[in-house]
Structure formats: C-alpha cells, structure tokens
Amino acid sequence: MAHTQDELDALKAAFARGVTRVRFNGEEVQYDSATALLKRIRIIEADLAGHGAGRISVSYPRTPRGL
C-alpha cells in the first residue's frame, strides 16, 4: 500500500491529541494503544523516506590490501 503525506499528517495529529482512533480517506482505524499508533507513524515515515521494508542495502568493505 502506498502511503501519503496526508495519511501521515492525520496519524500525527491524532497522536498529538492523545487519541488512538483515526479517520482518513473514509476509513476509521482504532489502534490498540498510543504505542501502536506511534509504531505505524514510524513505519510510514520510513516508507515515505524510501527506507521501507523489503529494501536491502549491501555494502562491501574496501581495504588497501584488498582483503
């Protein structure tokens, strides 16, 4: 599912108000706790930043000796 900045803003606004029920795009979602809501916010932030799940980064060290 592609997330939007509007969705993220709605979640952050709900978190700031201290509520765990969010209505966005005609859907209403009830989170179990503020912690669950915050976790969802972090997931969407990472997704929007391009660091979403399923993305793998591989790096290979380089040394002067070629090890």
Side-chain angles (χ1 to χ4, degrees):
M1 174 180 175
H3 302 288
T4 65
Q5 187 63 46
D6 289 338
E7 179 183 7
L8 180 59
D9 292 342
L11 293 174
K12 285 183 173 183
F15 186 78
R17 288 190 318 269
V19 297
T20 57
R21 183 172 295 193
V22 180
R23 179 173 285 255
F24 181 77
N25 246 4
E27 279 188 37
E28 186 171 278
V29 178
Q30 174 73 41
Y31 291 90
D32 294 334
S33 64
T35 303
L37 176 57
L38 184 59
K39 182 177 179 181
R40 185 69 177 158
I41 289 170
R42 297 295 179 241
I43 289 169
I44 294 173
E45 285 176 334
D47 186 46
L48 291 176
H51 304 335
R55 193 174 188 118
I56 299 173
S57 176
V58 177
S59 60
Y60 298 97
R62 293 183 185 216
T63 64
R65 296 186 197 171
L67 297 175

Short mmCIF file of all heavy atoms in Angstrom, two decimals:
data_model
loop_
_atom_site.label_atom_id
_atom_site.label_comp_id
_atom_site.label_asym_id
_atom_site.label_seq_id
_atom_site.Cartn_x
_atom_site.Cartn_y
_atom_site.Cartn_z
N MET A 1 0.84 -1.17 0.00
CA MET A 1 0.00 0.00 0.00
C MET A 1 0.88 1.23 0.00
O MET A 1 1.81 1.36 0.79
CB MET A 1 -0.89 -0.03 1.23
CG MET A 1 -1.70 1.21 1.41
SD MET A 1 -2.71 1.05 2.90
CE MET A 1 -3.39 2.66 2.92
N ALA A 2 0.60 2.15 -0.88
CA ALA A 2 1.36 3.39 -0.95
C ALA A 2 0.80 4.37 0.08
O ALA A 2 -0.41 4.61 0.14
CB ALA A 2 1.27 3.98 -2.34
N HIS A 3 1.67 4.89 0.88
CA HIS A 3 1.26 5.85 1.91
C HIS A 3 1.43 7.26 1.38
O HIS A 3 2.22 7.50 0.47
CB HIS A 3 2.11 5.66 3.16
CG HIS A 3 2.03 4.28 3.71
ND1 HIS A 3 0.91 3.81 4.36
CD2 HIS A 3 2.91 3.26 3.71
CE1 HIS A 3 1.11 2.57 4.72
NE2 HIS A 3 2.32 2.20 4.35
N THR A 4 0.69 8.20 1.96
CA THR A 4 0.78 9.58 1.55
C THR A 4 1.15 10.46 2.73
O THR A 4 0.99 10.07 3.89
CB THR A 4 -0.55 10.09 0.96
OG1 THR A 4 -1.54 10.07 2.01
CG2 THR A 4 -1.01 9.23 -0.20
N GLN A 5 1.61 11.65 2.42
CA GLN A 5 1.93 12.61 3.46
C GLN A 5 0.67 13.00 4.23
O GLN A 5 0.71 13.21 5.44
CB GLN A 5 2.59 13.85 2.86
CG GLN A 5 3.10 14.83 3.90
CD GLN A 5 4.19 14.26 4.78
OE1 GLN A 5 5.12 13.64 4.31
NE2 GLN A 5 4.07 14.47 6.09
N ASP A 6 -0.47 13.06 3.55
CA ASP A 6 -1.74 13.38 4.22
C ASP A 6 -2.10 12.33 5.27
O ASP A 6 -2.57 12.67 6.36
CB ASP A 6 -2.87 13.50 3.20
CG ASP A 6 -2.74 14.74 2.33
OD1 ASP A 6 -2.06 15.70 2.74
OD2 ASP A 6 -3.33 14.73 1.22
N GLU A 7 -1.87 11.07 4.94
CA GLU A 7 -2.13 10.00 5.89
C GLU A 7 -1.22 10.14 7.11
O GLU A 7 -1.67 10.03 8.25
CB GLU A 7 -1.90 8.64 5.22
CG GLU A 7 -2.12 7.46 6.13
CD GLU A 7 -1.82 6.14 5.46
OE1 GLU A 7 -1.30 6.11 4.32
OE2 GLU A 7 -2.08 5.11 6.10
N LEU A 8 0.05 10.41 6.85
CA LEU A 8 1.00 10.60 7.95
C LEU A 8 0.60 11.77 8.83
O LEU A 8 0.63 11.69 10.06
CB LEU A 8 2.41 10.79 7.40
CG LEU A 8 3.52 11.00 8.41
CD1 LEU A 8 3.62 9.82 9.37
CD2 LEU A 8 4.84 11.23 7.71
N ASP A 9 0.19 12.86 8.20
CA ASP A 9 -0.23 14.05 8.96
C ASP A 9 -1.44 13.76 9.84
O ASP A 9 -1.51 14.22 10.98
CB ASP A 9 -0.53 15.21 8.01
CG ASP A 9 0.71 15.73 7.30
OD1 ASP A 9 1.84 15.45 7.77
OD2 ASP A 9 0.55 16.41 6.27
N ALA A 10 -2.39 12.97 9.32
CA ALA A 10 -3.57 12.61 10.10
C ALA A 10 -3.20 11.76 11.32
O ALA A 10 -3.72 11.98 12.41
CB ALA A 10 -4.57 11.86 9.21
N LEU A 11 -2.28 10.83 11.13
CA LEU A 11 -1.84 9.99 12.25
C LEU A 11 -1.10 10.82 13.29
O LEU A 11 -1.31 10.65 14.50
CB LEU A 11 -0.95 8.86 11.74
CG LEU A 11 -1.62 7.81 10.87
CD1 LEU A 11 -0.59 6.85 10.31
CD2 LEU A 11 -2.69 7.06 11.64
N LYS A 12 -0.25 11.73 12.84
CA LYS A 12 0.50 12.57 13.78
C LYS A 12 -0.44 13.49 14.55
O LYS A 12 -0.25 13.72 15.75
CB LYS A 12 1.55 13.38 13.04
CG LYS A 12 2.75 12.58 12.63
CD LYS A 12 3.78 13.46 11.95
CE LYS A 12 5.07 12.73 11.68
NZ LYS A 12 6.09 13.61 11.09
N ALA A 13 -1.46 14.02 13.88
CA ALA A 13 -2.43 14.89 14.55
C ALA A 13 -3.19 14.12 15.63
O ALA A 13 -3.40 14.62 16.73
CB ALA A 13 -3.39 15.49 13.53
N ALA A 14 -3.58 12.89 15.32
CA ALA A 14 -4.27 12.05 16.30
C ALA A 14 -3.37 11.76 17.49
O ALA A 14 -3.79 11.84 18.64
CB ALA A 14 -4.74 10.75 15.65
N PHE A 15 -2.12 11.44 17.21
CA PHE A 15 -1.17 11.16 18.29
C PHE A 15 -0.98 12.38 19.18
O PHE A 15 -0.95 12.27 20.40
CB PHE A 15 0.17 10.71 17.70
CG PHE A 15 1.16 10.26 18.73
CD1 PHE A 15 1.06 9.02 19.32
CD2 PHE A 15 2.19 11.09 19.12
CE1 PHE A 15 1.97 8.60 20.28
CE2 PHE A 15 3.10 10.69 20.08
CZ PHE A 15 2.99 9.44 20.66
N ALA A 16 -0.88 13.55 18.56
CA ALA A 16 -0.68 14.79 19.33
C ALA A 16 -1.90 15.09 20.21
O ALA A 16 -1.75 15.65 21.30
CB ALA A 16 -0.42 15.95 18.37
N ARG A 17 -3.09 14.71 19.75
CA ARG A 17 -4.31 14.93 20.54
C ARG A 17 -4.50 13.86 21.61
O ARG A 17 -5.38 13.97 22.46
CB ARG A 17 -5.54 14.95 19.62
CG ARG A 17 -5.64 16.19 18.76
CD ARG A 17 -7.00 16.30 18.05
NE ARG A 17 -7.50 15.06 17.49
CZ ARG A 17 -7.26 14.64 16.25
NH1 ARG A 17 -6.53 15.34 15.43
NH2 ARG A 17 -7.79 13.49 15.82
N GLY A 18 -3.72 12.79 21.52
CA GLY A 18 -3.82 11.72 22.51
C GLY A 18 -4.94 10.73 22.22
O GLY A 18 -5.38 10.03 23.12
N VAL A 19 -5.40 10.69 20.97
CA VAL A 19 -6.44 9.73 20.60
C VAL A 19 -5.84 8.62 19.75
O VAL A 19 -4.81 8.80 19.12
CB VAL A 19 -7.60 10.42 19.84
CG1 VAL A 19 -8.28 11.44 20.71
CG2 VAL A 19 -7.13 11.05 18.55
N THR A 20 -6.50 7.48 19.76
CA THR A 20 -5.98 6.34 19.01
C THR A 20 -6.93 5.92 17.88
O THR A 20 -6.72 4.91 17.24
CB THR A 20 -5.73 5.14 19.94
OG1 THR A 20 -6.95 4.83 20.62
CG2 THR A 20 -4.63 5.44 20.93
N ARG A 21 -7.96 6.72 17.65
CA ARG A 21 -8.90 6.46 16.54
C ARG A 21 -8.65 7.51 15.47
O ARG A 21 -8.70 8.71 15.74
CB ARG A 21 -10.33 6.55 17.03
CG ARG A 21 -11.33 6.22 15.95
CD ARG A 21 -12.70 6.12 16.51
NE ARG A 21 -12.69 4.98 17.44
CZ ARG A 21 -13.77 4.43 17.94
NH1 ARG A 21 -14.95 4.90 17.64
NH2 ARG A 21 -13.69 3.40 18.75
N VAL A 22 -8.39 7.03 14.25
CA VAL A 22 -8.04 7.92 13.16
C VAL A 22 -8.99 7.68 11.98
O VAL A 22 -9.22 6.54 11.60
CB VAL A 22 -6.59 7.70 12.69
CG1 VAL A 22 -6.22 8.63 11.56
CG2 VAL A 22 -5.63 7.86 13.85
N ARG A 23 -9.51 8.75 11.43
CA ARG A 23 -10.35 8.66 10.24
C ARG A 23 -9.59 9.31 9.09
O ARG A 23 -9.16 10.46 9.18
CB ARG A 23 -11.67 9.38 10.44
CG ARG A 23 -12.57 9.32 9.22
CD ARG A 23 -13.91 9.89 9.54
NE ARG A 23 -14.65 8.93 10.34
CZ ARG A 23 -15.65 8.18 9.87
NH1 ARG A 23 -16.02 8.31 8.63
NH2 ARG A 23 -16.27 7.33 10.63
N PHE A 24 -9.39 8.52 8.02
CA PHE A 24 -8.67 9.01 6.86
C PHE A 24 -9.21 8.34 5.62
O PHE A 24 -9.37 7.13 5.59
CB PHE A 24 -7.16 8.74 7.01
CG PHE A 24 -6.35 9.23 5.87
CD1 PHE A 24 -6.05 10.57 5.75
CD2 PHE A 24 -5.92 8.37 4.88
CE1 PHE A 24 -5.32 11.04 4.69
CE2 PHE A 24 -5.19 8.83 3.81
CZ PHE A 24 -4.88 10.17 3.71
N ASN A 25 -9.50 9.13 4.61
CA ASN A 25 -9.98 8.60 3.32
C ASN A 25 -11.25 7.75 3.48
O ASN A 25 -11.39 6.72 2.84
CB ASN A 25 -8.89 7.76 2.67
CG ASN A 25 -8.40 8.38 1.39
OD1 ASN A 25 -8.81 9.47 1.02
ND2 ASN A 25 -7.51 7.70 0.71
N GLY A 26 -12.13 8.16 4.36
CA GLY A 26 -13.39 7.44 4.54
C GLY A 26 -13.28 6.20 5.40
O GLY A 26 -14.27 5.51 5.62
N GLU A 27 -12.10 5.88 5.88
CA GLU A 27 -11.90 4.71 6.75
C GLU A 27 -11.58 5.18 8.16
O GLU A 27 -10.92 6.19 8.35
CB GLU A 27 -10.72 3.86 6.26
CG GLU A 27 -11.04 2.94 5.13
CD GLU A 27 -9.89 2.01 4.84
OE1 GLU A 27 -9.20 1.56 5.78
OE2 GLU A 27 -9.66 1.75 3.66
N GLU A 28 -12.03 4.40 9.11
CA GLU A 28 -11.71 4.71 10.50
C GLU A 28 -10.94 3.53 11.08
O GLU A 28 -11.36 2.38 10.94
CB GLU A 28 -12.98 4.96 11.30
CG GLU A 28 -12.70 5.42 12.71
CD GLU A 28 -13.97 5.86 13.41
OE1 GLU A 28 -14.39 7.01 13.18
OE2 GLU A 28 -14.53 5.04 14.15
N VAL A 29 -9.81 3.84 11.71
CA VAL A 29 -8.97 2.80 12.29
C VAL A 29 -8.78 3.10 13.77
O VAL A 29 -8.48 4.24 14.15
CB VAL A 29 -7.59 2.74 11.59
CG1 VAL A 29 -6.71 1.69 12.24
CG2 VAL A 29 -7.75 2.47 10.11
N GLN A 30 -8.97 2.08 14.59
CA GLN A 30 -8.75 2.19 16.03
C GLN A 30 -7.47 1.44 16.37
O GLN A 30 -7.40 0.22 16.17
CB GLN A 30 -9.93 1.60 16.81
CG GLN A 30 -9.73 1.53 18.30
CD GLN A 30 -9.81 2.89 18.96
OE1 GLN A 30 -10.65 3.69 18.62
NE2 GLN A 30 -8.93 3.15 19.90
N TYR A 31 -6.46 2.12 16.87
CA TYR A 31 -5.22 1.48 17.28
C TYR A 31 -5.35 1.05 18.74
O TYR A 31 -6.05 1.67 19.54
CB TYR A 31 -4.04 2.44 17.10
CG TYR A 31 -3.75 2.69 15.64
CD1 TYR A 31 -4.36 3.74 14.95
CD2 TYR A 31 -2.90 1.86 14.92
CE1 TYR A 31 -4.12 3.95 13.60
CE2 TYR A 31 -2.66 2.05 13.57
CZ TYR A 31 -3.27 3.11 12.92
OH TYR A 31 -3.04 3.30 11.59
N ASP A 32 -4.66 -0.04 19.09
CA ASP A 32 -4.76 -0.60 20.43
C ASP A 32 -4.23 0.35 21.50
O ASP A 32 -4.71 0.35 22.62
CB ASP A 32 -3.99 -1.92 20.53
CG ASP A 32 -4.62 -2.99 19.66
OD1 ASP A 32 -5.83 -2.93 19.40
OD2 ASP A 32 -3.90 -3.90 19.24
N SER A 33 -3.20 1.11 21.12
CA SER A 33 -2.57 1.99 22.10
C SER A 33 -1.84 3.11 21.36
O SER A 33 -1.67 3.07 20.14
CB SER A 33 -1.55 1.20 22.94
OG SER A 33 -0.51 0.73 22.09
N ALA A 34 -1.39 4.09 22.12
CA ALA A 34 -0.59 5.17 21.54
C ALA A 34 0.72 4.61 20.99
O ALA A 34 1.23 5.10 19.98
CB ALA A 34 -0.32 6.25 22.59
N THR A 35 1.23 3.57 21.63
CA THR A 35 2.47 2.94 21.16
C THR A 35 2.26 2.31 19.79
O THR A 35 3.12 2.43 18.91
CB THR A 35 2.93 1.87 22.17
OG1 THR A 35 3.09 2.49 23.45
CG2 THR A 35 4.24 1.23 21.74
N ALA A 36 1.13 1.67 19.58
CA ALA A 36 0.83 1.06 18.28
C ALA A 36 0.68 2.15 17.21
O ALA A 36 1.14 1.98 16.07
CB ALA A 36 -0.44 0.23 18.36
N LEU A 37 0.05 3.26 17.57
CA LEU A 37 -0.10 4.37 16.63
C LEU A 37 1.26 4.96 16.28
O LEU A 37 1.55 5.22 15.11
CB LEU A 37 -1.02 5.44 17.23
CG LEU A 37 -1.22 6.72 16.42
CD1 LEU A 37 -1.76 6.42 15.04
CD2 LEU A 37 -2.14 7.66 17.17
N LEU A 38 2.10 5.14 17.27
CA LEU A 38 3.44 5.68 17.03
C LEU A 38 4.26 4.74 16.15
O LEU A 38 4.99 5.18 15.26
CB LEU A 38 4.17 5.93 18.35
CG LEU A 38 5.53 6.60 18.25
CD1 LEU A 38 5.43 7.96 17.55
CD2 LEU A 38 6.14 6.76 19.63
N LYS A 39 4.12 3.44 16.35
CA LYS A 39 4.82 2.47 15.52
C LYS A 39 4.39 2.60 14.07
O LYS A 39 5.21 2.58 13.15
CB LYS A 39 4.56 1.05 16.02
CG LYS A 39 5.29 -0.01 15.27
CD LYS A 39 5.03 -1.39 15.86
CE LYS A 39 5.76 -2.45 15.07
NZ LYS A 39 5.52 -3.79 15.61
N ARG A 40 3.08 2.77 13.85
CA ARG A 40 2.56 2.95 12.49
C ARG A 40 3.10 4.24 11.87
O ARG A 40 3.44 4.28 10.69
CB ARG A 40 1.03 2.97 12.53
CG ARG A 40 0.40 3.04 11.20
CD ARG A 40 0.62 1.74 10.46
NE ARG A 40 -0.07 1.81 9.19
CZ ARG A 40 0.24 1.07 8.15
NH1 ARG A 40 1.20 0.18 8.24
NH2 ARG A 40 -0.41 1.19 7.04
N ILE A 41 3.19 5.30 12.66
CA ILE A 41 3.75 6.57 12.18
C ILE A 41 5.18 6.37 11.72
O ILE A 41 5.57 6.82 10.65
CB ILE A 41 3.67 7.65 13.28
CG1 ILE A 41 2.21 8.08 13.49
CG2 ILE A 41 4.54 8.85 12.94
CD1 ILE A 41 2.00 8.96 14.71
N ARG A 42 5.97 5.67 12.51
CA ARG A 42 7.38 5.43 12.16
C ARG A 42 7.51 4.59 10.89
O ARG A 42 8.39 4.82 10.07
CB ARG A 42 8.11 4.74 13.32
CG ARG A 42 8.17 5.55 14.59
CD ARG A 42 9.00 6.80 14.42
NE ARG A 42 9.03 7.58 15.63
CZ ARG A 42 8.57 8.82 15.75
NH1 ARG A 42 8.08 9.44 14.71
NH2 ARG A 42 8.63 9.45 16.89
N ILE A 43 6.64 3.61 10.72
CA ILE A 43 6.66 2.78 9.51
C ILE A 43 6.37 3.62 8.28
O ILE A 43 7.06 3.52 7.26
CB ILE A 43 5.66 1.61 9.63
CG1 ILE A 43 6.15 0.60 10.66
CG2 ILE A 43 5.41 0.95 8.28
CD1 ILE A 43 5.13 -0.45 11.04
N ILE A 44 5.37 4.48 8.37
CA ILE A 44 5.01 5.32 7.23
C ILE A 44 6.10 6.35 6.95
O ILE A 44 6.42 6.61 5.78
CB ILE A 44 3.64 5.97 7.45
CG1 ILE A 44 2.56 4.89 7.46
CG2 ILE A 44 3.34 7.01 6.36
CD1 ILE A 44 1.18 5.39 7.84
N GLU A 45 6.69 6.91 8.00
CA GLU A 45 7.80 7.85 7.79
C GLU A 45 8.95 7.19 7.04
O GLU A 45 9.51 7.76 6.11
CB GLU A 45 8.31 8.39 9.14
CG GLU A 45 7.42 9.40 9.77
CD GLU A 45 7.88 9.84 11.15
OE1 GLU A 45 8.58 9.07 11.85
OE2 GLU A 45 7.53 10.96 11.53
N ALA A 46 9.29 5.97 7.43
CA ALA A 46 10.37 5.24 6.76
C ALA A 46 10.00 4.94 5.32
O ALA A 46 10.83 5.06 4.42
CB ALA A 46 10.68 3.95 7.51
N ASP A 47 8.75 4.57 5.10
CA ASP A 47 8.29 4.27 3.75
C ASP A 47 8.37 5.51 2.86
O ASP A 47 8.84 5.44 1.72
CB ASP A 47 6.86 3.73 3.79
CG ASP A 47 6.37 3.26 2.45
OD1 ASP A 47 7.13 2.54 1.77
OD2 ASP A 47 5.24 3.62 2.07
N LEU A 48 7.92 6.64 3.37
CA LEU A 48 7.96 7.87 2.59
C LEU A 48 9.39 8.35 2.34
O LEU A 48 9.66 8.99 1.33
CB LEU A 48 7.15 8.97 3.28
CG LEU A 48 5.63 8.76 3.30
CD1 LEU A 48 4.96 9.86 4.10
CD2 LEU A 48 5.07 8.69 1.90
N ALA A 49 10.29 8.01 3.27
CA ALA A 49 11.69 8.41 3.12
C ALA A 49 12.44 7.45 2.19
O ALA A 49 13.60 7.68 1.87
CB ALA A 49 12.37 8.46 4.48
N GLY A 50 11.78 6.37 1.78
CA GLY A 50 12.42 5.41 0.89
C GLY A 50 13.18 4.32 1.62
O GLY A 50 13.96 3.59 1.03
N HIS A 51 12.93 4.16 2.91
CA HIS A 51 13.61 3.12 3.69
C HIS A 51 12.61 2.07 4.15
O HIS A 51 12.70 1.55 5.23
CB HIS A 51 14.27 3.73 4.93
CG HIS A 51 15.22 4.83 4.63
ND1 HIS A 51 15.88 4.97 3.45
CD2 HIS A 51 15.62 5.88 5.38
CE1 HIS A 51 16.65 6.04 3.48
NE2 HIS A 51 16.49 6.61 4.64
N GLY A 52 11.66 1.76 3.30
CA GLY A 52 10.60 0.83 3.67
C GLY A 52 11.07 -0.60 3.79
O GLY A 52 12.18 -0.96 3.40
N ALA A 53 10.21 -1.42 4.33
CA ALA A 53 10.52 -2.83 4.49
C ALA A 53 10.70 -3.47 3.12
O ALA A 53 10.10 -3.08 2.14
CB ALA A 53 9.38 -3.52 5.24
N GLY A 54 11.57 -4.45 3.06
CA GLY A 54 11.83 -5.14 1.81
C GLY A 54 12.98 -4.54 1.03
O GLY A 54 13.42 -5.08 0.04
N ARG A 55 13.46 -3.43 1.49
CA ARG A 55 14.57 -2.77 0.82
C ARG A 55 15.86 -3.27 1.47
O ARG A 55 16.03 -3.17 2.66
CB ARG A 55 14.43 -1.27 0.98
CG ARG A 55 15.32 -0.50 0.10
CD ARG A 55 14.98 0.99 0.23
NE ARG A 55 15.72 1.70 -0.76
CZ ARG A 55 15.18 2.40 -1.72
NH1 ARG A 55 13.88 2.52 -1.78
NH2 ARG A 55 15.91 3.01 -2.60
N ILE A 56 16.77 -3.79 0.67
CA ILE A 56 18.01 -4.35 1.19
C ILE A 56 19.18 -3.51 0.72
O ILE A 56 19.28 -3.14 -0.44
CB ILE A 56 18.19 -5.81 0.72
CG1 ILE A 56 17.04 -6.65 1.25
CG2 ILE A 56 19.54 -6.36 1.16
CD1 ILE A 56 17.04 -8.06 0.71
N SER A 57 20.06 -3.22 1.65
CA SER A 57 21.26 -2.47 1.32
C SER A 57 22.48 -3.35 1.61
O SER A 57 22.59 -3.94 2.68
CB SER A 57 21.33 -1.20 2.18
OG SER A 57 22.53 -0.52 1.94
N VAL A 58 23.36 -3.46 0.64
CA VAL A 58 24.55 -4.27 0.79
C VAL A 58 25.76 -3.38 0.55
O VAL A 58 25.80 -2.60 -0.39
CB VAL A 58 24.57 -5.44 -0.22
CG1 VAL A 58 25.85 -6.24 -0.10
CG2 VAL A 58 23.36 -6.32 -0.03
N SER A 59 26.74 -3.50 1.42
CA SER A 59 27.98 -2.74 1.21
C SER A 59 29.16 -3.69 1.40
O SER A 59 29.11 -4.62 2.21
CB SER A 59 28.07 -1.56 2.16
OG SER A 59 28.05 -2.00 3.49
N TYR A 60 30.18 -3.46 0.67
CA TYR A 60 31.38 -4.29 0.72
C TYR A 60 32.55 -3.42 1.17
O TYR A 60 32.82 -2.38 0.57
CB TYR A 60 31.69 -4.90 -0.66
CG TYR A 60 30.59 -5.80 -1.14
CD1 TYR A 60 29.61 -5.35 -2.01
CD2 TYR A 60 30.50 -7.12 -0.69
CE1 TYR A 60 28.59 -6.18 -2.44
CE2 TYR A 60 29.49 -7.96 -1.11
CZ TYR A 60 28.53 -7.49 -1.98
OH TYR A 60 27.53 -8.30 -2.40
N PRO A 61 33.26 -3.84 2.18
CA PRO A 61 34.39 -3.04 2.65
C PRO A 61 35.54 -3.09 1.67
O PRO A 61 35.77 -4.10 0.99
CB PRO A 61 34.77 -3.71 3.98
CG PRO A 61 34.28 -5.11 3.86
CD PRO A 61 33.07 -5.04 2.98
N ARG A 62 36.27 -2.01 1.59
CA ARG A 62 37.48 -1.95 0.74
C ARG A 62 38.66 -1.61 1.64
O ARG A 62 38.57 -0.68 2.44
CB ARG A 62 37.34 -0.89 -0.33
CG ARG A 62 36.28 -1.24 -1.33
CD ARG A 62 36.23 -0.20 -2.41
NE ARG A 62 35.10 -0.50 -3.28
CZ ARG A 62 35.12 -0.30 -4.57
NH1 ARG A 62 36.16 0.24 -5.14
NH2 ARG A 62 34.08 -0.59 -5.29
N THR A 63 39.71 -2.34 1.47
CA THR A 63 40.92 -2.09 2.27
C THR A 63 42.10 -1.91 1.32
O THR A 63 42.06 -2.35 0.17
CB THR A 63 41.20 -3.27 3.22
OG1 THR A 63 41.47 -4.43 2.44
CG2 THR A 63 40.02 -3.53 4.14
N PRO A 64 43.16 -1.24 1.80
CA PRO A 64 44.32 -1.03 0.94
C PRO A 64 44.96 -2.35 0.50
O PRO A 64 45.60 -2.42 -0.53
CB PRO A 64 45.28 -0.24 1.83
CG PRO A 64 44.52 0.24 2.98
CD PRO A 64 43.29 -0.61 3.09
N ARG A 65 44.80 -3.41 1.29
CA ARG A 65 45.42 -4.69 0.96
C ARG A 65 44.51 -5.57 0.10
O ARG A 65 44.90 -6.67 -0.27
CB ARG A 65 45.74 -5.45 2.24
CG ARG A 65 46.77 -4.73 3.07
CD ARG A 65 47.12 -5.60 4.23
NE ARG A 65 47.79 -4.82 5.27
CZ ARG A 65 48.07 -5.26 6.44
NH1 ARG A 65 47.75 -6.50 6.77
NH2 ARG A 65 48.68 -4.50 7.30
N GLY A 66 43.31 -5.12 -0.18
CA GLY A 66 42.41 -5.92 -1.00
C GLY A 66 41.76 -7.07 -0.28
O GLY A 66 41.34 -8.02 -0.91
N LEU A 67 41.70 -7.02 1.03
CA LEU A 67 41.10 -8.12 1.80
C LEU A 67 39.61 -8.13 1.70
O LEU A 67 38.90 -7.28 1.68
CB LEU A 67 41.52 -8.02 3.27
CG LEU A 67 43.01 -8.17 3.51
CD1 LEU A 67 43.32 -7.93 4.98
CD2 LEU A 67 43.48 -9.55 3.13
#
